[in-house]
Amino acid sequence: MELPPGKIGGAAAWTGADMAARQDWIVTFSPDELAEIDAAIAAHRAAGRQMGEITAESFRLPRLAARLDGVLGELLHGRGFVLLRGFDVSRRTIEEAAIGYLGIGAHLGGFRSQNAKGHLLGHVKDLGLDIRNPKVRYYQTNKELEFHTDSCDIVGLLCLKTAKSGGGSRIVSSVALHDRLLEESPELWRALFNPMPTDRRGEIPPGMLPWFEIPVFNWYQGELSTIYSGQYIRSAQANFPEARRLTEVEIAALARLDALAAEMSLEMEFRPGDMQFIHNHQILHSRTDFEDWPEPERRRHLLRLWLSPKGGRALPPAYAQRYGDITPGNRGGIVVQDTVLRFTLEPA
């Protein structure tokens, strides 16, 4: 296994304290750009197209497209995250908001399935489900999420409605975490390059085990890619006796990674209409727990996209256990036997 020659640094190695003092990661749509989005939504509906037919070519954004190219470059080769602001969801139906969001997302990458049900447009909402059920995903509850990555290149969130309190988005640079761990404890740093069993939470592709084994840190072709879900690593230890047992050093390394992620993270409060996009390979994300409104129509609701850009970085072969095909533009997502790809406007 190849290891980084030392600290990585660069634009991707930021800290939350640094970013909290800046605003350059917030991109506000101009009136002309918003007019382009409105025109593209209207053209999509007038043509009678389905959401599955939305592409960068069909959702024309003559001036905004160039700016989104810059956003994609910042995601893949810069700090790894951006917040797009100014898209008015209050005057739109959920269908209109979804069409606009999908159209913008299509300029950043291809849509990928987010769960075994094949949802290409995800819904982050408390459905009142019991997290003790191994098939329940944490985003379907109001519980705090630990820092983790998703199974795709780019993760997008569009805020439709906010909670009564809480629910803040937290992100942290995994490159900065890598550099900090290397500096303070080379032993713990090295342990995170060991493959670790990770629970699939019941979303098992044909012929695969109910867990996969992959290192948290992966150094490949001169870039660090991070894939991590501590809670699913722990549940693999609890639920699958056949899975390799973690060593004391590995357990300590995961605990230190979690502690540093909380210490070095940036927290942002979404406004309705905000679109957050993060590069999954260099950003861990989480959410604080929240109290929701009692009225169903006011409850916290975010739309989610998993995207795969054609210009994505090369990923190591180990990622095929989780991503399937690791070809840029055609990788990531969750597909199991009988999965049917679909877009839905209702959380399920």
Side-chain angles (χ1 to χ4, degrees):
M1 173 188 295
E2 187 179 4
L3 297 174
K7 287 187 177 181
I8 298 167
W14 51 266
T15 66
D18 291 338
M19 287 298 162
R22 298 164 49 178
Q23 295 290 303
D24 56 339
W25 46 270
I26 301 176
V27 176
T28 302
F29 293 119
S30 71
D32 286 345
E33 291 167 341
L34 292 170
E36 282 191 355
I37 297 170
D38 285 340
I41 293 172
H44 171 87
R45 301 191 74 184
R49 297 191 186 100
Q50 301 298 310
M51 285 189 287
E53 298 176 271
I54 294 176
T55 65
E57 292 72 29
S58 73
F59 201 85
R60 294 189 65 251
L61 300 169
R63 291 179 293 274
L64 179 55
R67 199 175 192 195
L68 293 176
D69 284 344
V71 165
L72 181 59
E74 187 65 50
L75 289 172
L76 299 183
H77 309 296
R79 64 178 166 266
F81 75 98
V82 68
L83 186 74
L84 305 182
R85 175 159 284 169
F87 182 66
D88 188 358
V89 294
S90 65
R91 64 180 179 86
R92 305 179 194 276
T93 66
I94 187 172
E95 181 182 14
E96 291 168 342
I99 291 169
Y101 180 46
L102 288 164
I104 290 168
H107 283 265
L108 303 177
F111 309 129
R112 309 303 294 175
S113 170
Q114 300 175 35
N115 53 32
K117 297 177 181 178
H119 292 169
L120 297 168
L121 178 66
H123 295 262
V124 179
K125 194 170 186 178
D126 179 16
L127 302 181
L129 302 178
D130 186 350
I131 197 59
R132 291 173 294 182
N133 183 333
K135 294 187 177 181
V136 169
R137 305 274 288 281
Y138 280 77
Y139 69 84
Q140 298 171 315
T141 75
N142 68 342
K143 303 301 183 185
E144 177 180 5
L145 301 185
E146 298 182 12
F147 283 95
H148 66 284
T149 58
D150 290 339
S151 299
C152 61
D153 293 308
I154 293 173
V155 182
L157 291 172
L158 165 63
C159 179
L160 296 178
K161 296 178 181 178
T162 58
K164 183 177 181 181
S165 64
S169 171
R170 296 188 296 173
I171 60 174
V172 65
S173 162
S174 55
V175 179
L177 292 173
H178 166 277
D179 288 356
R180 175 76 175 270
L181 274 166
L182 174 59
E183 178 181 49
E184 72 174 33
S185 178
E187 182 184 29
L188 298 185
W189 165 82
R190 177 60 184 83
L192 294 176
F193 288 89
N194 298 337
M196 298 186 187
T198 304
D199 191 350
R200 296 183 187 272
R201 298 294 287 183
E203 296 174 327
I204 308 170
M208 295 288 189
L209 293 170
W211 72 89
F212 59 95
E213 290 199 15
I214 195 168
V216 174
F217 289 154
N218 299 267
W219 181 250
Y220 187 68
Q221 296 189 11
E223 293 186 297
L224 181 78
S225 294
T226 300
I227 181 168
Y228 179 58
S229 180
Q231 56 212 14
Y232 295 161
I233 292 175
R234 293 193 299 274
S235 66
Q237 295 290 295
N239 297 328
F240 308 120
E242 321 93 284
R244 181 182 73 82
R245 301 294 91 183
L246 298 181
T247 67
E248 291 185 5
V249 172
E250 290 169 337
I251 293 170
L254 295 175
R256 187 57 182 154
L257 180 69
D258 288 336
L260 287 176
E263 174 188 325
M264 299 169 64
S265 64
L266 169 69
E267 182 170 342
M268 62 183 79
E269 295 293 333
F270 289 153
R271 303 175 185 175
D274 282 353
M275 299 182 190
Q276 180 197 71
F277 291 96
I278 64 173
H279 189 208
N280 198 58
H281 306 312
Q282 65 190 67
I283 301 286
L284 306 183
H285 62 281
S286 72
R287 181 196 71 206
T288 62
D289 58 10
F290 62 90
E291 178 187 359
D292 225 337
W293 299 98
E295 303 90 348
E297 68 277 6
R298 297 182 66 187
R299 289 177 182 167
R300 185 181 189 269
H301 189 181
L302 285 76
L303 299 182
R304 187 174 66 179
L305 291 177
W306 284 6
L307 303 171
S308 181
K310 293 181 180 178
R313 64 172 55 177
L315 293 175
Y319 271 67
Q321 297 176 78
R322 183 59 169 168
Y323 279 50
D325 189 346
I326 56 174
T327 304
N330 188 40
R331 67 188 183 194
I334 296 171
V335 177
V336 302
Q337 190 172 1
D338 300 326
T339 292
V340 178
L341 300 180
R342 65 183 112 179
F343 294 86
T344 177
L345 296 176
E346 295 293 333

